[in-house]
Amino acid sequence: MSVQKRLSIKFPLVISAFFFLMYFSFCQSLSLNEKKNLVSIYQKVIEDGKSQMQRGDFQKAMESYGRGLKIAQELGNVENEVDCLLHMGVLSWNDRKIKESSDYNMQALSLAKRFNLKKMLWEAQQINDIIRLYYRGKELRSKRQHSQSIKSFERAIDLAKKIESREYELKCLRQMSITYWEIFEVKRFFALNEKALRLAKELKHKREEGSCLNNIGLYYFKINDYSRALYCYQEALSIAREYKNHAEESACLNNIGILLFHVGLYDKALDYLNDAYKIDCTLKDYFNISIELNNIGVILRNKCKYFELKDNYKDALNYLEESLIISRQVGNKNNEEKVLNNIGSVYLDLKDYSKALKYFKAGYDIAKDLQDVEVMGMILNNIASAHLKMGHDDTARRFYEQAVPLGNKIFDVNILWEAYHGLGQCYEQTKEFSHAFQAYEKAIEVIEHVRSQIVMDTCKAGFTRDKIKVYESYIGHLYRMNLKNHSKKLEKDIFQMVERAKARAFLETLRNSQSILRNRLSSKMEEDERMISLKISTLMNNLSREDLNKNEREKLLDQLGHAEDEYVVFLSKVRKEAPELRYVVSPEHTRVEEVQQKLLDEKTALIEYFLGDEQSFMILITKEDFKLFLL
């Protein structure tokens, strides 16, 4: 509905004597009883509006203040009319209808000015400046003038505090946080969203609460706390669905999909991303469609790479190329740089190095222009990887060395472990073994920092899937060192590294920690865990029946998938309620001496395997001996 249709009256710039006469005559035509009745109705309507605002029911509050506006006009009470317009401006602002909010406020400002309502005029002028600064802050951000954008939002927030309007402050805080996100100041981004979330809860503003939770989820994802990130995303998704906010629902689904991809749950990730894609197709939101197509293409590429589905690379390329076309059509440069990098990665897998380097260069040029440190670091690693595969060790080393400071600047796990792993390989080629050793150690340190924060066993294994090659390189390096200079210590170091390479099972540790859990978890969470576990076990029992037809089996599998999703969310809540459980789920790795002393007798031996892409090992441990074999 347009602004004009919402308003019952618009005042001209110059009020004629004729207008005053007609307005005065109309008011005089009401009898005293009619006026009293209207005043009583007005007071009741406005009380309803205030109560509805306090409950967060902004739509009903808008209807109440709209009725109040009409009554104030009938009574000829300009002060009440201005008050209603100011409240309708705030309510439109809450509903993210910034243009309508500005229009209502300008109506109020115009009336207050004409009738010399000084206090209301001052308030309307402040609001007008807030909206102007809000628009200006977003415009400056789009031009990548980030410091000026922040200053504009800061001035808007100061004005909002001056007129004690938490509604205007809230939205400006969240928008300013986005500017900080773009310049990788994630701690400031987090702090602003935490503050905005508190305001949203005080105002019962659920839509803003959902947006803040989604942003806070992004922060936790950025610092690799995937459990908390998932919890925030799921909470935001529930709010978006409750309020039928389809754009926000799509954003949450996309973010959950990306998170699940990072922990190796590719099929579940695709489910979420496809749901987000369908919503944006319905909304005809081509900007976000380009993002989802890229994300789907990346997951398909990773499935091809890690499950050796080489025939499916074509599907990945189709999604990525479509994303590239749409990104260019809608001017989504941030997505274009990523798509170019991802298409290059597909050609890298296909060993078409010249084509891969062409796409990497095109993506890097855009990333450099945008000063997107994250994408610059990723592409530098990929360029290095292409040169390493072509045997250009010195060139590869140079690019990996450029990626490391970028990864450190924003502590990007993927940039860092890939760069350090690549440097380790380069140092091995040039026989700088001590440097190779240090590089592999750094890569593993980064990987394990993240893995220690993942609470679900399948997620740990999935997260490690594309990183196992780092452990393989390190174990191979230790093995070659041991061949040259045989050492029991080196052999034990290899066993220790094999243990570190294996993802620990959360559930196994959970069973051994019931007393710890009982002291930390609420009775409700214990009951939730029991009910979800019962649901999963019941579904698995039903799936084992031999008389199931195809449709029944598919239905049960679908239900099992949803139940497993519930369990993932439950575990993220466990982590939120008892963050100290990270020490329970990430115990110390087993040492050779512990195995020999606690597990083995003179008649028993332990055989352990490490299976890699390039080389595999078998370890034999007896009560008194330790042997290592290359398979």
Side-chain angles (χ1 to χ4, degrees):
M1 188 179 287
S2 68
V3 173
Q4 288 79 1
K5 289 181 182 178
R6 282 184 180 271
L7 291 171
S8 58
I9 184 168
K10 288 186 76 172
F11 291 95
L13 288 173
V14 180
I15 301 177
S16 66
F18 176 74
F19 170 83
F20 276 116
L21 183 62
M22 291 297 292
Y23 196 59
F24 180 76
S25 298
F26 172 77
C27 293
Q28 289 295 310
S29 67
L30 290 171
S31 69
L32 191 60
N33 284 338
E34 286 174 328
K35 283 184 180 179
K36 282 184 179 179
N37 189 42
L38 277 176
V39 168
S40 177
I41 293 170
Y42 174 82
Q43 289 171 346
K44 174 68 170 62
V45 164
I46 296 306
E47 282 302 313
D48 287 346
K50 286 179 181 176
S51 176
Q52 288 152 353
M53 277 190 80
Q54 288 168 357
R55 294 199 307 268
D57 195 341
F58 302 134
Q59 188 174 347
K60 284 188 178 176
M62 189 70 170
E63 291 169 6
S64 293
Y65 277 104
R67 286 178 63 201
L69 177 63
K70 289 179 181 178
I71 296 168
Q73 288 169 346
E74 285 185 59
L75 288 168
N77 190 324
V78 179
E79 191 168 342
N80 285 348
E81 197 173 341
V82 172
D83 183 64
C84 287
L85 286 165
L86 288 172
H87 276 92
M88 291 169 81
V90 171
L91 289 162
S92 295
W93 176 270
N94 283 350
D95 201 26
R96 303 185 180 182
K97 296 174 180 175
I98 310 302
K99 176 66 171 61
E100 287 188 20
S101 174
S102 178
D103 288 343
Y104 283 122
N105 187 65
M106 289 303 293
Q107 291 286 333
L109 190 149
S110 179
L111 270 175
K113 189 173 184 180
R114 290 186 192 111
F115 289 92
N116 199 28
L117 304 173
K118 291 182 180 178
K119 187 177 178 182
M120 289 182 156
L121 174 62
W122 175 80
E123 185 179 343
Q125 286 171 335
Q126 306 309 306
I127 294 170
N128 189 51
D129 286 342
I130 290 168
I131 295 173
R132 178 180 56 79
L133 288 165
Y134 173 87
Y135 273 125
R136 181 70 176 148
K138 292 180 74 175
E139 181 189 355
L140 288 165
R141 185 173 67 221
S142 70
K143 294 178 179 177
R144 305 195 68 77
Q145 297 175 24
H146 294 107
S147 60
Q148 293 94 321
S149 171
I150 289 166
K151 285 177 184 175
S152 189
F153 286 125
E154 282 176 339
R155 291 208 301 276
I157 290 165
D158 288 342
L159 290 177
K161 288 178 178 176
K162 197 173 178 182
I163 61 171
E164 297 181 349
S165 174
R166 293 177 299 172
E167 289 89 353
Y168 288 106
E169 182 185 356
L170 165 58
K171 201 179 295 292
C172 291
L173 280 168
R174 188 170 58 78
Q175 283 295 329
M176 184 163 71
S177 80
I178 296 169
T179 306
Y180 277 108
W181 175 264
E182 287 195 0
I183 56 175
F184 302 101
E185 291 195 30
V186 293
K187 287 184 179 178
R188 190 77 180 113
F189 169 80
F190 173 67
L192 289 167
N193 277 288
E194 282 266 277
K195 188 174 182 180
L197 179 61
R198 286 194 296 273
L199 281 177
K201 286 180 175 178
E202 288 170 15
L203 295 166
K204 305 289 193 297
H205 197 329
K206 294 296 285 186
R207 283 187 66 178
E208 281 293 328
E209 189 179 330
S211 296
C212 293
L213 282 166
N214 188 38
N215 286 350
I216 291 169
L218 283 171
Y219 166 77
Y220 283 125
F221 178 77
K222 194 71 175 175
I223 64 167
N224 313 302
D225 191 339
Y226 295 152
S227 300
R228 288 192 183 186
L230 181 60
Y231 175 81
C232 291
Y233 289 153
Q234 289 285 3
E235 290 289 298
L237 180 62
S238 296
I239 292 170
R241 284 174 169 166
E242 182 184 350
Y243 287 84
K244 294 182 172 54
N245 185 349
H246 299 304
E248 194 75 21
E249 181 184 0
S250 169
C252 295
L253 289 167
N254 177 76
N255 291 341
I256 293 171
I258 291 170
L259 187 152
L260 294 174
F261 161 65
H262 273 79
V263 296
L265 301 178
Y266 295 156
D267 289 332
K268 284 191 183 297
L270 284 171
D271 288 342
Y272 279 94
L273 285 164
N274 279 316
D275 286 346
Y277 173 72
K278 288 171 189 173
I279 290 171
D280 285 328
C281 285
T282 303
L283 297 173
K284 296 184 179 177
D285 184 348
Y286 293 104
F287 189 92
N288 285 314
I289 285 171
S290 69
I291 293 171
E292 281 129 22
L293 287 168
N294 172 61
N295 292 339
I296 291 169
V298 169
I299 296 173
L300 290 174
R301 174 249 169 178
N302 276 267
K303 283 189 73 174
C304 293
K305 184 175 182 180
Y306 298 111
F307 298 114
E308 298 183 1
L309 307 170
K310 293 182 180 178
D311 294 338
N312 292 353
Y313 272 113
K314 187 177 178 182
D315 290 337
L317 271 177
N318 286 340
Y319 277 99
L320 292 170
E321 285 167 354
E322 188 178 353
S323 175
L324 184 60
I325 291 167
I326 297 173
S327 297
R328 286 170 171 169
Q329 287 173 345
V330 298
N332 188 351
K333 285 283 184 184
N334 287 103
N335 198 56
E336 185 181 348
E337 58 176 350
K338 294 177 178 70
V339 180
L340 288 165
N341 174 53
N342 295 330
I343 293 174
S345 297
V346 172
Y347 285 115
L348 185 63
D349 293 345
L350 296 172
K351 297 183 171 53
D352 191 339
Y353 302 127
S354 61
K355 193 171 277 190
L357 286 169
K358 175 184 146 190
Y359 278 99
F360 291 147
K361 184 182 182 308
Y364 185 81
D365 288 343
I366 296 173
K368 190 175 180 182
D369 185 51
L370 296 176
Q371 279 302 292
D372 190 333
V373 177
E374 182 180 31
V375 176
M376 287 168 68
M378 288 179 184
I379 295 177
L380 285 169
N381 274 337
N382 285 336
I383 292 171
S385 181
H387 283 291
L388 187 63
K389 290 176 187 296
M390 290 188 288
H392 308 155
D393 301 329
D394 290 339
T395 306
R397 178 171 160 179
R398 213 164 50 245
F399 281 107
Y400 282 130
E401 286 172 342
Q402 290 177 52
V404 169
L406 297 182
N408 279 322
K409 184 176 181 180
I410 57 174
F411 193 68
D412 188 289
V413 171
N414 290 307
I415 293 172
L416 287 172
W417 78 257
E418 286 185 10
Y420 284 131
H421 179 229
L423 281 170
Q425 291 176 300
C426 292
Y427 288 132
E428 279 212 75
Q429 292 296 322
T430 54
K431 303 192 185 311
E432 297 174 72
F433 298 122
S434 62
H435 285 86
F437 184 87
Q438 290 170 6
Y440 290 141
E441 270 285 359
K442 285 180 180 177
I444 289 169
E445 185 182 321
V446 171
I447 292 166
E448 292 185 349
H449 169 77
V450 180
R451 197 176 72 183
S452 69
Q453 299 183 71
I454 300 173
V455 295
M456 195 168 182
D457 48 355
T458 53
C459 294
K460 281 179 182 284
F463 172 77
T464 311
R465 181 183 293 123
D466 65 338
K467 302 163 188 70
I468 201 73
K469 60 187 178 185
V470 182
Y471 293 90
E472 183 182 347
S473 295
Y474 194 14
I475 292 166
H477 178 60
L478 291 174
Y479 176 75
R480 287 186 289 276
M481 286 175 66
N482 190 49
L483 285 177
K484 291 183 179 180
N485 185 18
H486 185 72
S487 157
K488 285 290 179 187
K489 182 184 180 304
L490 273 174
E491 288 180 342
K492 289 175 181 178
D493 285 344
I494 291 170
F495 174 75
Q496 183 80 3
M497 191 52 58
V498 169
E499 283 290 292
R500 288 170 70 180
K502 294 181 179 180
R504 293 296 181 125
F506 175 71
L507 296 180
E508 182 183 341
T509 312
L510 208 59
R511 291 189 197 100
N512 298 325
S513 310
Q514 290 302 312
S515 60
I516 296 173
L517 285 173
R518 276 195 292 272
N519 293 331
R520 285 167 171 77
L521 295 186
S522 66
S523 57
K524 183 183 182 305
M525 290 200 78
E526 287 184 1
E527 178 64 14
D528 287 346
E529 195 277 338
R530 190 183 70 79
M531 293 303 294
I532 300 169
S533 295
L534 179 62
K535 188 189 295 185
I536 290 171
S537 62
T538 303
L539 287 165
M540 292 182 76
N541 284 335
N542 289 339
L543 277 164
S544 66
R545 284 168 37 209
E546 293 181 3
D547 60 339
L548 285 177
N549 61 42
K550 185 180 177 183
N551 289 338
E552 288 172 329
R553 184 172 295 280
E554 285 179 357
K555 187 177 179 181
L556 285 170
L557 284 169
D558 185 55
Q559 290 173 352
L560 180 61
H562 287 297
E564 287 173 344
D565 286 348
E566 278 186 65
Y567 203 82
V568 171
V569 175
F570 167 77
L571 290 176
S572 70
K573 288 181 180 177
V574 169
R575 179 63 182 278
K576 185 175 185 291
E577 186 166 308
E580 66 272 24
L581 285 178
R582 74 183 66 184
Y583 303 112
V584 176
V585 302
S586 298
E588 289 294 315
H589 301 291
T590 307
R591 293 180 296 111
V592 172
E593 291 82 2
E594 288 178 308
V595 173
Q596 291 174 324
Q597 291 167 18
K598 296 179 181 179
L599 295 179
L600 304 178
D601 56 29
E602 286 74 10
K603 296 181 179 180
T604 311
L606 172 74
I607 297 175
E608 183 157 5
Y609 293 93
F610 177 85
L611 306 178
D613 289 334
E614 308 276 333
Q615 52 201 346
S616 297
F617 299 90
M618 187 189 84
I619 296 168
L620 175 67
I621 306 176
T622 65
K623 186 74 174 174
E624 303 296 337
D625 202 5
F626 176 97
K627 289 184 180 179
L628 177 70
F629 302 91
L630 177 67
L631 300 180

